[in-house]
Amino acid sequence: MRPPEPARLSLNQITVPTLTLPEAVEACVRHGIGAIAPWRDRVAEIGVDRAARLLRDAGLRVSSLCRGGFLTASSAPARREALRNNRAAIEEAAALGAACLVMVCGPPEGRDLARARDDIARGLEALVPHARATGVRLAVEPLHPMMIGERSAIVTLDEATELAERFDADTVGVIVDAYHVWWDPRLDAAVDRAAGRIAGFHVSDWLSPTTNLLAGRGLMGDGLIDLHGLRDRVERAGYTGLIEVEIISDEHAKDDPDDLIRRVVQRFAEFV
Amino acid sequence: MRPPEPARLSLNQITVPTLTLPEAVEACVRHGIGAIAPWRDRVAEIGVDRAARLLRDAGLRVSSLCRGGFLTASSAPARREALRNNRAAIEEAAALGAACLVMVCGPPEGRDLARARDDIARGLEALVPHARATGVRLAVEPLHPMMIGERSAIVTLDEATELAERFDADTVGVIVDAYHVWWDPRLDAAVDRAAGRIAGFHVSDWLSPTTNLLAGRGLMGDGLIDLHGLRDRVERAGYTGLIEVEIISDEHAKDDPDDLIRRVVQRFAEFV
């Protein structure tokens, strides 16, 4: 398969967690990377206005802002606070010119999984007017089922797309993150179904053995995911936008960031 | 919901991994448990004939034998060895009077997940005549997607049922293990579809947080799984057989076995 255009590479900031946003931006420029996905906590460290200026001055595109979501709180005050927080995230995404706001939808509280899923749908419904008015696309990210207890009751791409389909495609899309969805026997059909809704494509790799449920991802090429096959499918579904490299890893967090980014660029060309 | 009949409780031996099979059998008798699911390595310690006699003399039913499978080896000699080993497992299951042989189908070797799934189908096909001749039901167990790299390319109940449907229902069924399938947004429909194929129902609980991918299960009631709802669905699908309590847990392995079994019996009545 032909390698992806190098200009499609976007560095998700959590891949180099020891860097501040200004440092990560400088590193992108140094390595010829044209896009980045910042995290809100790192944006907050310098303020959203300064972050927006920094990104603009560096000429970086913003593939996404990480992240909104967590819409499953059951108490009324906690739900109100979650909506307030998500509206703030929407405004930050707009200010940064992010292509989308990643939505990690939240875990079930207790044993009622159907209720958690309903709460997520109602939460999105409440946020859509603000997203539409601000021109920010909400991108529902299905997470690997092993993360259901802490992060997301939305665990398959089909489910995320079904949720997104309640709204217009310009306002609510989905993220296809290879790490979260590669195991799914229905993946091909799910990607096809998501056509027109794919707001982002994220890559890393699934290591065997995987011993860390949250921060055990591998560099592309070090694991079991057929990233070529998945990119092909995603492109056939019409997505030709930025590809985020998002390696959440306690191990790689110890690497020298420049050395890691060099390998990211190489692996992107070879395995994505 | 009405508690399940106590006589439906079967103790999967791995719940009390410090006990030998004779010790586990004695513990079942002591606690009034009428069924057990032994593991092959523990059967081998005393030999299958002695194990069969032991179980018969104790009046215990055998809900399953754990386990066959691992059908994804790519080299011809490794495939032959896997089939030989599975045929031996089938004979052991017959000798023990096990209601089924649990099949953990094996992980992908490398990045070709579709091939692994094909290999599994071909492996089952090769084993079915022996299983049929011996009167042993093969029970395909879909495993949680976090175990795909080491244990099973079959990760959803739907996929397991689709695989089983290639064969007659008396020879190839599926296991519904709550821990492996509870997260699935299609679970209800998948259980319905598995009607007539359900060869076993296994229970434990999903803890939040889960920090151990292989041995981090909880006692029923300690986690997020709606076991009442799942039992109801499984029973509506026609399965009213034994219910295996299978708590694979490095933590509970340290408990006093008698104390743990007492809690298993209580939790079974309350949460299953």
Side-chain angles (χ1 to χ4, degrees):
Chain A
M1 196 171 172
R2 211 159 37 80
E5 289 296 322
R8 292 181 70 190
L9 197 169
S10 174
L11 185 70
N12 188 298
Q13 192 183 355
I14 206 165
T15 302
V16 285
T18 57
L19 304 187
T20 62
L21 185 56
E23 289 166 345
V25 166
E26 277 172 39
C28 284
V29 172
R30 202 157 56 238
H31 291 274
I33 293 173
I36 193 169
W39 280 64
R40 288 185 70 203
D41 54 335
R42 306 317 293 266
V43 170
E45 287 170 358
I46 59 168
V48 68
D49 295 335
R50 197 179 141 210
R53 212 158 44 236
L54 180 75
L55 293 163
R56 203 170 44 238
D57 291 350
L60 291 183
R61 289 190 286 166
V62 179
S63 53
S64 73
L65 176 64
C66 297
R67 59 195 188 188
F70 291 87
L71 299 168
T72 50
S74 56
S75 80
R79 286 190 66 80
R80 269 196 304 275
E81 169 54 22
L83 294 176
R84 190 208 57 72
N85 189 17
N86 274 284
R87 290 195 182 96
I90 288 169
E91 278 155 33
E92 288 162 32
L96 299 173
C100 62
L101 174 65
V102 170
M103 301 294 282
V104 169
C105 293
E109 282 197 348
R111 299 197 187 94
D112 195 343
L113 194 45
R115 181 193 160 142
R117 288 165 174 160
D118 282 349
D119 285 345
I120 290 165
R122 286 192 301 128
L124 282 176
E125 205 170 271
L127 295 171
V128 152
H130 195 59
R132 193 181 288 128
T134 328
V136 168
R137 197 179 200 190
L138 305 176
V140 176
E141 181 164 9
L143 260 53
H144 193 285
M146 72 185 175
M147 299 180 185
I148 188 169
E150 293 78 43
R151 279 170 176 64
S152 176
I154 306 298
V155 292
T156 68
L157 180 55
D158 252 336
E159 189 183 15
T161 304
E162 208 169 297
L163 189 55
E165 282 169 349
R166 300 180 182 209
F167 312 99
D168 62 290
D170 288 344
T171 310
V172 185
V174 298
I175 298 288
V176 179
D177 182 315
Y179 189 80
H180 290 306
V181 302
W182 73 284
W183 55 269
D184 189 342
R186 295 177 183 268
L187 182 57
D188 282 352
V191 170
D192 295 349
R193 177 180 178 177
R197 299 258 171 199
I198 301 175
F201 177 36
H202 298 183
V203 295
S204 62
D205 214 337
W206 181 275
L207 301 178
S208 174
T210 285
T211 52
N212 181 325
L213 279 88
L214 298 175
R217 302 192 193 190
L219 265 178
M220 299 79 76
D222 284 347
L224 296 176
I225 307 178
D226 173 21
L227 292 167
H228 282 152
L230 185 53
R231 175 166 70 92
D232 184 51
R233 199 85 191 187
V234 165
E235 288 178 0
R236 284 170 196 269
Y239 182 79
T240 54
L242 293 167
I243 302 174
E244 264 181 41
V245 175
E246 183 181 36
I247 299 161
I248 305 178
S249 163
D250 286 347
E251 289 309 309
H252 286 299
K254 299 174 198 155
D255 294 346
D256 170 71
D258 277 295
D259 181 51
L260 179 62
I261 293 174
R262 250 188 304 277
R263 282 183 291 155
V264 160
V265 172
Q266 289 162 359
R267 298 297 184 88
F268 185 78
E270 188 175 357
F271 291 99
V272 182
Chain B
M1 194 171 172
R2 210 159 38 82
E5 289 295 322
R8 291 182 70 190
L9 197 169
S10 174
L11 185 70
N12 187 297
Q13 193 183 354
I14 207 165
T15 302
V16 285
T18 57
L19 302 188
T20 63
L21 185 55
E23 288 167 345
V25 166
E26 275 171 39
C28 284
V29 172
R30 203 158 55 239
H31 290 273
I33 292 174
I36 192 168
W39 280 63
R40 287 184 73 203
D41 55 335
R42 307 316 294 263
V43 169
E45 287 169 359
I46 58 166
V48 68
D49 293 337
R50 197 179 142 208
R53 215 160 39 238
L54 181 75
L55 294 163
R56 204 170 44 238
D57 290 351
L60 291 183
R61 288 191 286 167
V62 179
S63 53
S64 74
L65 176 64
C66 298
R67 60 197 186 186
F70 291 89
L71 298 168
T72 50
S74 55
S75 79
R79 286 190 67 78
R80 270 196 303 276
E81 170 53 24
L83 293 177
R84 191 208 56 73
N85 189 13
N86 273 284
R87 290 195 183 98
I90 289 169
E91 276 154 35
E92 289 162 32
L96 299 173
C100 62
L101 174 66
V102 170
M103 300 294 283
V104 170
C105 292
E109 282 196 348
R111 298 196 187 96
D112 194 343
L113 195 45
R115 181 195 159 138
R117 288 163 174 162
D118 282 348
D119 285 344
I120 290 165
R122 286 193 303 128
L124 282 176
E125 206 171 271
L127 294 171
V128 152
H130 196 60
R132 195 180 286 127
T134 327
V136 167
R137 196 179 200 190
L138 305 175
V140 176
E141 180 162 8
L143 260 53
H144 193 285
M146 73 186 174
M147 299 181 187
I148 187 168
E150 293 78 43
R151 280 172 176 62
S152 177
I154 306 298
V155 293
T156 68
L157 180 56
D158 252 337
E159 190 184 16
T161 303
E162 209 168 296
L163 189 56
E165 283 169 350
R166 300 179 182 210
F167 311 99
D168 61 289
D170 287 345
T171 311
V172 185
V174 297
I175 298 288
V176 179
D177 182 314
Y179 189 81
H180 291 305
V181 303
W182 74 283
W183 54 269
D184 189 342
R186 295 176 184 269
L187 184 57
D188 282 353
V191 170
D192 295 349
R193 176 180 177 177
R197 298 258 171 200
I198 300 174
F201 177 37
H202 298 182
V203 296
S204 61
D205 214 336
W206 181 276
L207 300 178
S208 174
T210 284
T211 52
N212 181 325
L213 278 88
L214 299 176
R217 303 191 193 191
L219 265 179
M220 299 80 74
D222 284 347
L224 296 176
I225 308 178
D226 173 19
L227 292 167
H228 282 152
L230 185 53
R231 175 165 71 91
D232 184 50
R233 199 83 190 190
V234 164
E235 289 178 358
R236 282 170 199 268
Y239 183 79
T240 54
L242 293 167
I243 302 173
E244 265 181 39
V245 175
E246 183 180 37
I247 299 161
I248 305 178
S249 163
D250 286 347
E251 289 309 308
H252 286 300
K254 299 174 198 153
D255 293 346
D256 170 70
D258 277 294
D259 182 52
L260 179 61
I261 294 174
R262 250 189 303 278
R263 282 182 292 155
V264 160
V265 171
Q266 288 161 1
R267 297 295 184 89
F268 185 79
E270 188 175 357
F271 291 100
V272 184

